[in-house]
Amino acid sequence: MTAILAAHGIDVGINKKTIVHDLSLEIPEGKITAIIGPNGCGKSTTLKAISRIWPVEKGSITFKGKDIKAFSHREFAQCLAILTQAPTAPTDLTVQDLVEMGRFPHRGFLGRGDKDDAKHVEWALEQTNMTSMRQRLLHTLSGGERQRAWIAMALAQRPQVLLLDEPTTYLDICHQLEVMQLLVKLNSELGLTVVMVIHELNHALQYADYVAVIKAGRLVTCGAPKEIVTARLLADVFRVQADEFACSNGLRALVPVDLCK
């Protein structure tokens, strides 16, 4: 496994409280990685540390072997894009306006775009099937459409890594699958490395190539979903009893049935 991002024994704190403890994790290049764990365990904090939103108190994080602190903000934004939970934008913004914002890391000192800006924006709209909605105002979109617009903005950065914090939150089942299938498409067709914090464990089973499990700010285990995401894991980490079922596509699904006694 070739790691594109790696955390080396990191501690991350918020308001003088350490949330992530001595965590080491390698993110495989060109794969979809799911970070799972109970609420408040440090998943989002880990993601924000990887993206330089939160500084680390101890340890280091590297991108292709280089400490992320050595990159300028502009250089790092050209390598990595992040979508946080429930991102917001002015209500009078159109889809095209939003996607064009993704080109900021590639613009010069005076904010001028290069000759390829329009091409990259068009490409991002096409990849997310948002071309026909380019003039729609963001507040008129459905939840799934809005999430695709934000992903298009991130793609316009032309990053090598896309980080997403709970990308299916607040979406109905249909739009959840739509977003997950879009991420699989971007990964398989573009070779884009995807890292997502996600609560729906069956999405990790169905769509991820690699899973990292965090509990109480520490890495519990990581590996292939079929080996990691099991009924035993739900009992040990989430305190939930679950039944396992075989799906028609040959993969497994977990159905919680009770709390552990």
Side-chain angles (χ1 to χ4, degrees):
M1 179 186 78
T2 301
I4 190 168
L5 278 164
H8 309 276
I10 63 170
D11 284 2
V12 186
I14 301 174
N15 296 327
K16 299 183 179 181
K17 178 182 178 181
T18 301
I19 306 297
V20 174
H21 307 267
D22 194 29
L23 187 144
S24 294
L25 174 65
E26 294 188 343
I27 303 297
E29 185 172 9
K31 303 294 184 182
I32 297 177
T33 295
I35 301 176
I36 63 174
N39 284 345
C41 71
K43 303 185 299 298
S44 295
T45 302
T46 299
L47 200 73
K48 289 176 180 177
I50 290 172
S51 64
R52 296 205 323 189
I53 293 176
W54 287 117
V56 298
E57 297 176 336
K58 188 189 80 171
S60 64
I61 299 169
T62 56
F63 175 78
K64 291 189 170 181
K66 181 179 178 180
D67 195 308
I68 62 173
K69 293 178 182 177
F71 292 85
S72 70
H73 289 293
R74 183 183 179 192
E75 288 173 335
F76 198 59
Q78 291 174 359
C79 299
L80 181 148
I82 182 168
L83 290 182
T84 55
Q85 291 183 44
T88 58
T91 57
D92 60 347
L93 219 59
T94 66
V95 170
Q96 172 127 359
D97 293 334
L98 180 69
V99 178
E100 287 177 350
M101 290 171 62
R103 296 302 300 161
F104 284 172
H106 298 272
R107 292 179 176 172
F109 179 72
L110 297 177
R112 295 193 182 99
D114 62 30
K115 58 183 174 54
D116 293 325
D117 264 10
K119 179 179 71 174
H120 291 307
V121 168
E122 192 67 31
W123 172 84
L125 289 166
E126 290 172 356
Q127 291 295 322
T128 52
N129 197 27
M130 293 297 288
T131 303
S132 63
M133 299 184 186
R134 66 195 318 147
Q135 297 306 324
R136 290 272 301 275
L137 295 175
L138 290 180
H139 76 271
T140 69
L141 302 178
S142 69
E145 291 166 347
R146 194 177 303 115
Q147 189 68 305
R148 279 165 36 211
W150 282 102
I151 293 173
M153 184 204 72
L155 287 180
Q157 289 182 225
R158 297 309 298 257
Q160 298 174 53
V161 181
L162 176 60
L163 306 179
L164 305 107
D165 195 355
E166 299 185 26
T168 58
T169 298
Y170 309 125
L171 300 183
D172 62 31
I173 295 172
C174 176
H175 288 113
Q176 288 180 28
L177 295 181
E178 184 180 67
V179 169
M180 296 307 299
Q181 289 175 5
L182 171 60
L183 296 177
V184 169
K185 169 181 174 288
L186 296 173
N187 170 255
S188 62
E189 295 182 3
L190 307 177
L192 182 67
T193 300
V194 177
V195 186
M196 56 184 181
V197 167
I198 198 159
H199 277 298
E200 178 51 70
L201 301 188
N202 285 317
H203 287 168
L205 273 170
Q206 295 280 328
Y207 299 107
D209 302 300
Y210 193 75
V211 171
V213 184
I214 297 176
K215 180 181 180 182
R218 301 180 186 276
L219 183 69
V220 175
T221 186
C222 54
K226 63 181 180 180
E227 298 171 359
I228 300 298
V229 186
T230 62
R232 178 62 183 270
L233 178 84
L234 263 70
D236 292 345
V237 174
F238 294 90
R239 298 181 296 108
V240 169
Q241 294 179 23
D243 291 338
E244 297 188 25
F245 295 91
C247 300
S248 59
N249 60 6
L251 298 175
R252 291 180 301 111
L254 293 167
V255 178
V257 294
D258 201 355
L259 298 175
C260 291
K261 307 302 182 185

